[in-house]
Amino acid sequence: QKYAISMDKCKRIFVGLSSSADPIDMARAFFHAKVLRAAILQQSRLKQRAGQCVGKEVFEITAERVQTLWPRFQRSALKSRWDLSNTDLTTCGYEICVQAFS
């Protein structure tokens, strides 16, 4: 996988991309982040009622969910004539900050 996802205490989601990531990898990473965000919000509502915090299991569940949802999303995008290799995520409400890391 050419990306990594993390979350801080404020529930902000961060996506780290490999320098070898292509536009499709980037689209998948941000798709994964959107699915994760939805899962976190859903789990937060449920756990808040029970007085609990969101756990790390949401990351594992989401990773499994993305494995099945991403191919479906790609097929839908293709049918809709979206070019996922030419997606400008900087205009879609994401703040993109490029940093080198090892």
Side-chain angles (χ1 to χ4, degrees):
Q1 206 163 2
K2 296 184 181 180
Y3 66 90
I5 294 182
S6 64
M7 181 178 69
D8 67 7
K9 292 179 183 179
C10 297
K11 296 185 181 155
R12 291 181 297 187
I13 297 171
F14 297 90
V15 176
L17 296 165
S18 164
S19 60
S20 64
D22 62 25
I24 299 290
D25 297 321
M26 188 177 192
R28 182 180 175 141
F30 283 93
F31 175 82
H32 190 151
K34 291 289 282 183
V35 172
L36 177 61
R37 180 72 178 150
I40 288 169
L41 290 174
Q42 181 181 26
Q43 193 180 63
S44 291
R45 285 191 290 269
L46 295 172
K47 295 226 175 200
Q48 190 174 31
R49 291 183 194 145
Q52 300 172 337
C53 294
V54 173
K56 291 184 179 184
E57 69 274 2
V58 73
F59 280 88
E60 295 167 9
I61 293 166
T62 302
E64 291 171 10
R65 190 176 294 160
V66 167
Q67 291 295 325
T68 58
L69 291 177
W70 176 249
R72 292 180 191 170
F73 177 77
Q74 278 187 301
R75 283 191 300 274
S76 295
L78 183 62
K79 285 180 185 177
S80 299
R81 298 190 178 158
W82 289 1
D83 183 1
L84 293 178
S85 67
N86 191 20
T87 303
D88 186 6
L89 294 171
T90 59
T91 63
C92 296
Y94 294 98
E95 177 183 342
I96 297 179
C97 177
V98 178
Q99 295 179 341
F101 62 92
S102 53

